[in-house]
Amino acid sequence: MVTTEGQQERNSIACTTESASKPVQQQQAMQSTSATESAVISEDATKSQAQHSQLIDNNGPDLVGFTNQVVNTLREWYVLASDSITNILEGRLMQQLPKDLWLLGRRYELAAVQQGDQGWTESSYPSGFVDDFSHLIWCTYRSQYPPIAPSAFTTDAGWGCMLRAGQTLLAQALQLHYFGRDWSFSWENSLDENMHKRKQYVEIVKQFFDDYSSTSVFSIHRMASFGKQFEGKDIGQWFGPYGTASIIRKLAQEANHELAVYTTTDGVVYLADICGKEFRPTLILVASMLGIDRVNPVYYPFIQASLTLPQSAGIAGGKPSSALYFAGFQGDELFYLDPHYTRPAITHHSNSTPYESVNLATYSCSTPRRIPLSRLDPCMVFGYYCGTLESLIDLRSRIDLLADDGMKTIMTFNSGHSPAVEGSHSSGYDSSVLSTQARSPDKNTVPISENAQKTGGESLIELLSSSDTDNSGIDVASGFESGHSNSSGHRSESSEVVLEGDAGDDGSNEEEWVTDM
């Protein structure tokens, strides 16, 4: 943190010195310029690009890259040490986790468990699981990018972790949109299908490059700028889960993206608002607060169940003061990607220069890490991708099944319009379709490994409760029954539902749920 703040201070001083050295006439001409807000931002972005080039020439990228490498290494040691100490204190080193592993709707099984000399359990993850995990798009802190106009920030280290976690969730939704669940590919394979996946993968990652390019639809620059414009957040200020979800929705709307984004903070999903006159592939973002200081244990089963759904795009949440992205679980521990690693920003290639594996290596991680549910911050955003109307119906069916079996869920579905838009337009669809098919999910849509496939008559409850107890020592069946407790701390803001295309919300009621580290 000290190194990052020092770097930001040096960048700020350098930019201020350069600005002060400009001729007085030029500054007066700039002050007299009258333009719209978008034109001003565009002008600031152009100047920031020039300032950025000058800063890199003066300071040298090698020194910045070396500093980032040292900070990343220190963080890696810190994470390993703190996790090991906590595991020792909680008695987890002697604890053997279940053999089942889940990753965004797909189930794997540990092939073997080896015993160490001291009796500590070391699990070797299946190669298919590691390959699947390594193809998750990992968005982290970046540095050495053009300043985010009108500020002098050339890195988001120290303040942008929740935005990066939101980007990571969105990136998985885009992979589901373009590839389905089978998104793995090889950089060396020259088969047409593999080449198509590789090309599309690059196009997805480019949407998160750190600049104002027209292809960088969801860049940190645009997210921070929209945060300032719509959420009242100064650039460099921490974002909460709901603010991040709201910005993603607005950016998708602004770009007329083929993926629609629907957000809700009270857990009610109004299906008529999503479908409209014609259904569009939609990412549903459900912002929730599942406790006060920690997640209420009654929600543990739903968090796990959510990550088994074929529509799951993951969860943007974290532990206190640090945002993380959760993609799967083993027992009572979630697999996560950590955005708190600073890497150099990737520059755009010309059309004649293709991107290779080495260019985008920092957007992937092949080392799964886990965190117990008991350490999570209660504020998080659940993401669900529905590419078709049938997939939306199936999602509702699965959530209803979980609730019917006694699980404490975070979301419900309403076949009509939200009160905010009731009667303002006709949806053009038959709401009875969503109602009559709500109890008939297609179990064959769950993309799990062949060894883990279940028969069509078994619910997700049966998949999760294959053992008598989970690893937190809470009986699964008892946990479902206790889900009716009202002491949840679930966040509800006057039934506020933010709709895709609703520009009336300014996000002013959002709390600072998750801060940065």
Side-chain angles (χ1 to χ4, degrees):
M1 171 64 83
V2 174
T3 302
T4 303
E5 291 178 349
Q7 180 62 40
Q8 293 175 355
E9 182 178 359
R10 290 195 297 271
N11 291 340
S12 179
I13 293 174
C15 291
T16 303
T17 302
E18 182 178 353
S19 176
S21 65
K22 292 181 178 180
V24 176
Q25 297 83 351
Q26 181 180 0
Q27 293 186 6
Q28 292 176 345
M30 291 174 59
Q31 294 173 355
S32 62
T33 302
S34 175
T36 62
E37 182 176 356
S38 59
V40 171
I41 293 178
S42 176
E43 181 182 354
D44 288 339
T46 303
K47 291 188 296 181
S48 296
Q49 179 72 51
Q51 293 174 349
H52 171 252
S53 300
Q54 184 64 37
L55 286 172
I56 294 299
D57 292 340
N58 293 340
N59 298 333
D62 293 340
L63 178 59
V64 177
F66 175 76
T67 302
N68 289 338
Q69 185 176 3
V70 171
V71 173
N72 291 338
T73 301
L74 291 176
R75 175 168 180 81
E76 187 73 10
W77 289 348
Y78 166 78
V79 171
L80 291 174
S82 60
D83 285 351
S84 298
I85 293 173
T86 305
N87 287 334
I88 292 174
L89 295 176
E90 294 180 354
R92 290 181 172 274
L93 289 180
M94 298 298 295
Q95 180 178 337
Q96 181 173 331
L97 291 172
K99 293 185 178 181
D100 291 341
L101 298 84
W102 285 89
L103 188 69
L104 296 184
R106 180 164 293 181
R107 187 168 117 178
Y108 296 89
E109 185 174 346
L110 289 177
V113 177
Q114 301 174 348
Q115 296 294 329
D117 295 337
Q118 301 180 12
W120 295 358
T121 300
E122 297 179 357
S123 301
S124 57
Y125 295 122
S127 59
F129 172 82
V130 175
D131 180 69
D132 200 8
F133 186 87
S134 65
H135 280 86
L136 298 175
I137 296 177
W138 183 23
C139 298
T140 67
Y141 288 154
R142 296 282 165 172
S143 65
Q144 301 171 252
Y145 52 60
I148 303 176
S151 76
F153 282 106
T154 60
T155 179
D156 55 297
W159 58 270
C161 68
M162 179 49 72
L163 295 180
R164 295 300 186 177
Q167 285 182 331
T168 304
L169 188 157
L170 177 59
Q172 297 352 301
L174 290 174
Q175 291 209 90
L176 288 170
H177 177 66
Y178 291 110
F179 305 138
R181 187 54 184 83
D182 298 317
W183 52 51
S184 296
F185 68 94
S186 171
W187 287 96
E188 291 77 23
N189 193 321
S190 59
L191 294 178
D192 290 344
E193 180 180 359
N194 188 79
M195 293 289 289
H196 171 73
K197 281 188 176 182
R198 189 173 76 180
K199 181 179 179 181
Q200 187 61 65
Y201 174 85
V202 172
E203 293 303 314
I204 293 174
V205 173
K206 285 169 63 177
Q207 296 185 52
F208 302 95
F209 277 7
D210 305 288
D211 52 41
Y212 287 104
S213 170
S214 59
T215 59
S216 304
V217 180
F218 303 106
S219 69
I220 195 72
H221 293 64
R222 297 186 188 278
M223 296 184 81
S225 297
F226 268 52
K228 182 176 178 62
Q229 182 178 354
F230 295 105
E231 304 291 329
K233 301 280 189 180
D234 290 333
I235 296 172
Q237 189 175 353
W238 293 320
F239 283 77
Y242 167 65
T244 300
S246 179
I247 290 170
I248 290 174
R249 176 180 61 84
K250 289 182 172 69
L251 285 173
Q253 177 190 358
E254 177 77 9
N256 194 24
H257 204 280
E258 59 187 285
L259 177 65
V261 178
Y262 176 97
T263 62
T264 175
T265 59
D266 67 353
V268 181
V269 177
Y270 291 92
L271 299 174
D273 295 333
I274 295 178
C275 297
K277 294 183 179 180
E278 181 180 1
F279 179 83
R280 294 174 57 195
T282 301
L283 171 63
I284 300 174
L285 297 177
V286 183
S288 300
M289 187 170 182
L290 307 182
I292 301 177
D293 297 325
R294 291 290 189 275
V295 175
N296 190 317
V298 300
Y299 289 107
Y300 290 176
F302 180 80
I303 294 174
Q304 295 168 310
S306 176
L307 295 170
T308 70
L309 300 176
Q311 295 87 356
S312 177
I315 303 171
K319 55 186 178 180
S321 300
S322 295
L324 303 170
Y325 167 77
F326 305 114
F329 69 94
Q330 181 184 12
D332 69 337
E333 298 185 351
L334 302 186
F335 293 104
Y336 68 87
L337 289 172
D338 187 350
H340 298 86
Y341 293 89
T342 307
R343 296 180 170 87
I346 306 298
T347 57
H348 284 273
H349 287 188
S350 62
N351 293 333
S352 60
T353 306
Y355 290 90
E356 301 296 338
S357 174
V358 65
N359 305 128
L360 304 180
T362 55
Y363 279 94
S364 65
C365 175
S366 58
T367 306
R369 298 203 180 282
R370 303 191 304 262
I371 180 173
L373 286 162
S374 59
R375 298 184 202 166
L376 301 187
D377 188 276
C379 308
M380 54 188 70
V381 175
F382 293 75
Y384 304 96
Y385 168 76
C386 297
T388 63
L389 180 60
E390 291 73 20
S391 178
L392 178 60
I393 295 172
D394 183 66
L395 174 63
R396 174 180 181 173
S397 302
R398 293 173 185 274
I399 298 297
D400 287 347
L401 278 175
L402 296 177
D404 289 347
D405 284 338
M407 183 180 293
K408 184 72 172 178
T409 63
I410 67 160
M411 56 193 296
T412 59
F413 291 85
N414 186 307
S415 297
H417 287 289
S418 67
V421 297
E422 187 68 45
S424 62
H425 59 271
S426 174
S427 63
Y429 82 101
D430 183 5
S431 62
S432 63
V433 174
L434 297 171
S435 300
T436 57
Q437 298 188 23
R439 290 294 189 271
S440 305
D442 180 9
K443 300 300 181 182
N444 295 324
T445 62
V446 181
I448 58 180
S449 62
E450 294 181 0
N451 294 334
Q453 288 181 359
K454 298 289 182 178
T455 60
E458 295 182 3
S459 69
L460 286 173
I461 297 293
E462 294 168 335
L463 293 178
L464 285 174
S465 58
S466 57
S467 59
D468 293 336
T469 59
D470 66 6
N471 282 281
S472 62
I474 301 174
D475 182 72
V476 176
S478 300
F480 296 157
E481 294 175 359
S482 64
H484 296 290
S485 170
N486 292 326
S487 58
S488 63
H490 182 70
R491 177 182 177 88
S492 178
E493 294 185 348
S494 303
S495 300
E496 178 188 7
V497 176
V498 184
L499 308 177
E500 194 277 328
D502 178 12
D505 173 62
D506 62 359
S508 59
N509 292 327
E510 183 195 5
E511 299 177 10
E512 287 298 338
W513 289 347
V514 176
T515 56
D516 221 319
M517 181 177 178

